[in-house]
């Protein structure tokens, strides 16, 4: 030993924490990392890029985290978000918690400070017990202290994110781990390629029979498709189940397009009719949470807000604990949606009796009425432009480009888009999800463009956009085919509030009037357009889709047009104090 040659020979047989993490991810088919560099992971991002991983850098970790989460939803591979310690970790944590809440598989990997110093609380650089903080907010949380355990750590994180009900997983990698060395051959052997990370879960035959018996006896059956059904990628089976049974279905927001929204069995335009009227409701990857009024109350035909409407429920879900979380589930079917729906299809056979004609007729009548009313509203061309006249354009553009992915957040900008813009293909609508969270916009848009290569249209309330707006630089940096449309109504919900004191501060919901969001993207070389009419909006959107250039359209919307909190006004508590 001692010669340069022998030193090189020794070095080449050694690997380290940096490379083992990269190799473990690559071995498991991970090809993209969303993150933000800094101590202790800057070199990691460089090495990952050098090793052929795509490393997409963001301006704020929350956006990188949201990108990872939705990449997970779209691909059924855990999306990876990489952050620095304490503050970077915390910035990413909101996205991790949101991913867990929405059942999206992602792994937040954060560098952390020196364990001995953290545990004695001696004030290390960015000191924080990250693992303890992540635990209650994630599906699982792990820390790796030794290079030889990296393979196991990454494998456990992947399995935890993908198996059963998907969710967010935290993986803590202390700074010291990255530099740890070990024999390269032993390192290679220590890595694990995860076999069958999301194993099929076959439902019990008795559970399937119970569900089918209930469905067969129904006079007014209804199927509710949720984002779990979209995630499952069992599109053909679900379409077949709906069409073979002839049962009307209601898509939850992110399940829109699982079957085209124009499908004759879609009951979306008769929502407030079918929920209270149905006698048997089959939930497919949808929870009876607040978005479905907890399965009770007036929405379901109950007298008071806690009363049930008398429906019987079938619930298909991978989580055995989901049933009965809000109301009694008469026929739980536990398993993965692909297997469950296939089992139901097998049981249905070829002589299934379609639902009674009077049920289908009554739905069609409500639906036609609502659709006609909507068509009338959409045909108007008011000045200034309002949500409807602007969304009439978006509706046409999406119809002409059914492969484009639609990202959507805001209050009115969200709710109007959901009901006005029809979706035609599965997993094309990505939105605020279970928490109704603002800030997903640009992270989701970046990831959707990166993982699919398809054009992305982001319909953003002006408030919603502000939460992740700086990422327009990211759109430009990676030259992504994203067309952001900011529905600018000068504020949160509406731009018309006034300060009751007459003081110089504007009301809390009001922004700078007439702001030019289009100028923001121009700063980074993207295309900015100021649109005040549907014709201008249409031209700009068509051009954005055609050119695939990062584009931001500032669509000026009548500031009086919205309502407080969009369609969920009633969730605002009212003051009990008499004025
Ligand atoms: O049946 P009826 O007659 O009832 O009619 C229904 C359908 O049948 C019919 N329909 C149709 N008609 C005709 N044709 C077709 N195709 C059709 N399809 C449907 O339309 C109606 C409505 O149908 P829908 O929508 O299905 O039914 P409904 O009853 O609304 O469904 C109930 C829900 C609960 C399922 C649904 O409303 C829903 O999914 N809601 C989601 C709501 C949500 O998540 N909102 C976002 C949160 S609001 C608030 O929290 C905001 N904040 C606070 C904040 C948040 N969130 N996060 C963080 C980190 N910080 C703060 C903020 C700051 S929103 C917000 C910003 C808002 O300002 P912006 O500027 O961004 O936005 P603007 O409001 O635009 O200014
Ligand atoms: P939505 O908001 O659209 O109603 P939710 O997020 O409330 O949808 O519900 C999704 C449900 O789907 C969750 O209960 C989750 O356990 C379930 N789920 C997710 N993936 C699968 C799958 N592959 N098979 C079965 N159920 C799944
Ligand atoms: Mg607004």
């Amino acid at each position: 030993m001692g010669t340069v040659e022998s030193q090189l020979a020794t070095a080449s047989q050694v690997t380290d924490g940096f490379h083992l993490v990269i190799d473990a991810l690559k071995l498991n088919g991970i090809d993209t990392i969303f993150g933000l560099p800094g101590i202790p992971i800057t070199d990691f991002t460089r090495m990952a890029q050098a090793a052929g991983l795509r490393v997409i850098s963001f301006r704020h970790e929350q956006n990188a985290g949201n990108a990872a989460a939705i990449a997970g939803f779209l691909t059924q591979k855990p999306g990876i978000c990489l952050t620095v310690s304490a503050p970077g970790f915390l910035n990413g944590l909101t996205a991790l918690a949101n991913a867990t809440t929405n059942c999206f598989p992602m792994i937040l990997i954060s560098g952390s400070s020196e364990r001995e110093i953290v545990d004695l609380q001696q004030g290390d650089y960015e000191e924080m017990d990250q693992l303890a903080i992540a635990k209650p907010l994630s599906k699982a949380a792990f820390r790796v202290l030794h290079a030889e355990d990296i393979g196991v750590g990454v494998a456990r994180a992947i399995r935890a994110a993908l198996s059963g009900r998907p969710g967010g997983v935290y993986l803590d990698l202390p700074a010291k781990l990255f530099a740890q060395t070990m024999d390269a051959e032993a390192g290679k052997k220590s890595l694990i390629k995860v076999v069958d990370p999301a194993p099929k879960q076959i439902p019990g035959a008795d559970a399937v029979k119970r569900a089918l018996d209930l469905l067969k006896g129904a006079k007014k059956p209804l199927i509710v498709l949720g984002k779990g059904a979209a995630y499952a990628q069992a599109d053909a089976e679900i379409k077949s189940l709906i069409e073979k049974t002839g049962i009307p279905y209601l898509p939850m927001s992110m399940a829109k397009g699982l079957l085209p929204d124009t499908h004759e069995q879609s009951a979306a335009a008769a929502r407030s009719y079918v929920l209270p009227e149905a006698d048997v409701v089959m939930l497919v990857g949808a929870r009876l949470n607040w978005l479905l009024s907890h399965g009770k109350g007036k929405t379901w035909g109950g007298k008071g807000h806690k009363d049930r409407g008398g429906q019987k429920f079938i619930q298909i879900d991978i989580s055995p604990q989901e049933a009965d979380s809000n109301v009694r589930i008469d026929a739980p079917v536990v398993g993965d949606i692909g297997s469950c729906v296939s089992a139901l299809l097998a049981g249905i056979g070829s002589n299934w009796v379609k639902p009674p004609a009077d049920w289908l007729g009554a739905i069609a009548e409500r639906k036609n009425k609502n659709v006609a009313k909507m068509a009338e509203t959409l045909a108007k061309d008011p000045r200034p432009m309002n949500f409807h006249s602007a969304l009439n354009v978006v509706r046409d553009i999406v119809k002409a480009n059914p492969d484009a992915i639609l990202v959507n957040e805001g209050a009115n900008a969200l709710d109007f888009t959901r009901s006005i813009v029809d979706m035609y293909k599965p997993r094309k609508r990505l939105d605020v999800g279970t928490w109704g969270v603002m800030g997903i916009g640009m992270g989701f848009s970046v990831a959707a463009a990166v993982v699919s290569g398809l054009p992305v249209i982001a319909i953003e309330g002006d408030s919603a956009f502000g939460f992740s707006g700086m990422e327009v630089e990211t759109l430009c940096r990676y030259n992504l085919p994203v067309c952001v449309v900011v529905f600018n109504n000068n504020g949160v919900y509406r731009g018309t509030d006034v300060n009751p004191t007459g003081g110089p501060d504007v009301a809390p919901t009001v922004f700078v009037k007439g702001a030019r969001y289009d100028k923001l993207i121009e700063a980074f070389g993207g295309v900015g357009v100021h649109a005040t009419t549907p014709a201008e909006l249409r031209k700009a959107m068509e051009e954005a889709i055609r050119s695939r250039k990062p584009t931001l359209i500032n669509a000026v919307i009548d500031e009086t047009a919205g309502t407080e909190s969009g369609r969920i006004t009633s969730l605002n508590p009212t003051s009990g104090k008499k004025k």
Side-chain angles (χ1 to χ4, degrees):
M1 290 299 186
T3 66
V4 174
E5 287 77 17
S6 61
Q7 273 171 6
L8 276 178
T10 314
S12 72
Q13 287 157 22
V14 163
T15 188
D16 61 15
F18 286 111
H19 292 90
L20 284 167
V21 176
I22 292 166
D23 292 346
L25 293 173
K26 283 182 75 174
L27 183 67
N28 283 288
I30 304 287
D31 53 16
T32 307
I33 292 175
F34 303 95
L36 202 162
I39 300 169
I41 48 108
T42 314
D43 270 347
F44 180 86
T45 61
R46 293 189 182 112
M47 291 177 200
Q49 188 172 54
L53 284 164
R54 190 148 192 219
V55 182
I56 305 289
S57 276
F58 284 75
R59 306 299 293 257
H60 189 288
E61 291 88 351
Q62 189 177 119
N63 306 318
N66 285 326
I70 211 66
F73 170 76
L74 289 170
T75 63
Q76 293 185 328
K77 278 197 282 186
I80 307 292
C81 174
L82 181 70
T83 79
V84 302
S85 24
F89 156 77
L90 285 174
N91 286 345
L93 196 57
T94 309
L96 187 76
N98 189 54
T100 307
T101 300
N102 282 279
C103 318
F104 298 155
M106 77 171 271
I107 302 173
L108 173 68
I109 301 180
S110 296
S112 58
S113 307
E114 214 169 311
R115 284 253 38 91
E116 297 88 324
I117 302 181
V118 172
D119 287 348
L120 281 170
Q121 298 178 29
Q122 292 174 311
D124 202 3
Y125 167 74
E126 295 192 348
E127 175 182 299
M128 176 173 278
D129 189 357
Q130 296 168 196
L131 186 71
I133 290 164
K135 254 182 199 162
L137 296 168
S138 54
K139 186 178 169 195
F142 306 102
R143 176 187 291 133
V144 182
L145 291 177
H146 302 291
E148 61 265 33
D149 293 331
I150 285 172
V152 169
V154 170
R156 298 214 72 188
I158 290 173
R159 266 194 199 285
L162 288 178
S163 61
R165 171 182 279 175
V169 175
Y170 176 60
L171 188 60
D172 193 84
L173 303 183
K176 270 188 180 170
L177 177 80
F178 291 106
Q180 273 181 35
T181 54
M182 69 182 286
D183 173 71
E185 195 50 38
K188 198 173 170 193
K189 282 194 186 135
S190 73
L191 300 185
I192 295 175
K193 184 170 165 49
V194 177
V195 177
D196 197 12
K200 272 194 182 153
Q201 295 191 23
I202 315 286
D206 52 340
V208 172
K209 182 173 179 310
R210 196 183 297 122
L212 281 174
D213 287 348
L214 205 51
L215 215 49
K216 263 181 211 154
K219 301 261 178 309
K220 297 175 170 185
L222 175 71
I223 294 175
V224 176
L225 300 176
K227 61 170 125 48
Y231 173 76
Q233 298 195 15
D235 309 336
E237 292 90 336
I238 289 170
K239 181 170 184 287
S240 187
L241 179 75
I242 300 276
E243 291 181 344
K244 276 201 175 141
T245 58
I247 297 175
Y249 72 94
L250 189 67
M252 299 299 287
S253 195
M254 281 177 59
K256 274 168 72 75
L258 212 39
L259 289 89
D261 279 338
T262 47
H263 197 285
E264 65 163 347
Q265 284 171 253
S266 168
R271 186 181 201 270
S272 61
Y273 175 71
V274 290
L275 293 182
E277 286 292 322
D279 61 354
V280 175
V281 178
M282 179 157 81
L283 303 157
V284 185
R287 287 170 286 187
L288 279 178
N289 56 16
W290 70 281
L291 289 154
L292 282 169
S293 307
H294 306 283
K296 56 197 167 201
K298 293 218 167 92
T299 306
W300 293 91
K303 284 204 179 72
H305 80 282
K306 287 209 155 177
D307 295 329
R308 294 204 42 190
Q311 294 82 1
K312 292 212 183 277
F313 285 102
I314 301 165
Q315 183 160 34
I316 301 183
D317 206 290
I318 201 149
S319 165
Q321 294 176 48
E322 185 53 39
D324 305 331
S325 57
N326 284 274
V327 296
R328 179 178 59 246
I329 299 298
D330 304 276
V333 183
V334 176
D336 69 279
I337 285 168
S339 301
C340 292
V341 173
S342 298
L344 288 171
L345 275 170
I348 276 166
S350 53
N351 43 14
W352 180 267
V353 181
K354 301 245 157 138
D358 53 350
W359 173 232
L360 302 181
I363 296 173
E365 195 190 318
R366 305 285 157 148
K367 191 173 146 177
N368 293 341
K369 222 184 266 171
N370 263 348
V371 170
K373 205 165 73 188
M374 167 97 79
E376 213 174 280
T377 319
L378 293 178
K380 291 183 187 147
D381 190 11
R383 290 291 176 278
M385 178 158 71
N386 65 10
F387 287 104
H388 287 89
S389 58
L391 283 167
N392 190 35
V393 172
V394 179
R395 179 179 158 99
D396 288 348
I397 301 279
V398 170
K399 187 174 183 184
N401 300 279
D403 283 316
I405 296 177
L406 183 78
V407 173
N408 189 200
E409 61 179 336
N412 296 285
L414 173 88
D415 292 341
F416 285 124
T417 305
R418 187 178 58 249
S419 54
I420 293 172
V421 179
D422 289 329
M423 306 308 300
Y424 298 88
K425 295 194 175 180
R427 293 170 296 283
K428 297 297 186 188
R429 189 187 150 82
L430 311 174
D431 67 27
V432 300
T434 306
W435 265 351
V437 69
M438 298 299 113
I440 49 89
M442 296 305 103
F444 277 17
S445 296
V446 169
V450 164
V451 303
S452 75
L454 294 166
V456 175
I457 298 167
I459 304 297
E460 300 275 313
D462 50 342
S463 164
F465 173 70
F467 288 74
S468 66
M470 191 63 204
E471 302 296 346
V472 293
E473 189 273 331
T474 311
L475 299 181
C476 294
R477 190 168 7 112
Y478 295 103
N479 194 25
L480 297 172
V482 176
C483 172
V484 183
V485 183
V486 176
F487 276 12
N488 188 354
N489 63 352
N490 297 336
V492 178
Y493 311 137
R494 259 190 316 246
T496 49
D497 272 13
V498 287
N499 179 344
T501 69
D505 291 349
V506 295
T509 56
V510 169
F511 294 153
V512 166
K513 304 244 182 202
R516 292 290 300 272
Y517 292 97
D518 49 313
K519 301 274 182 201
L520 243 161
I521 199 166
E522 287 176 357
F524 308 109
V527 178
V529 182
H530 181 61
T532 58
T533 65
E536 287 168 0
L537 177 60
R538 188 180 300 271
K539 184 164 170 271
M541 288 190 78
E542 281 172 351
E543 180 53 21
I545 301 261
R546 195 200 56 74
S547 71
R548 292 177 62 93
K549 284 190 188 144
T551 300
L552 193 157
I553 304 167
N554 181 53
V556 180
I557 302 290
D558 181 357
E559 68 171 5
T560 66
T563 61
E564 180 91 3
S565 309
R567 298 268 306 168
I568 54 173
T569 313
S570 63
L571 296 187
N572 289 293
T574 41
S575 169
K577 192 176 163 205
K578 297 263 180 304
K579 280 191 186 142

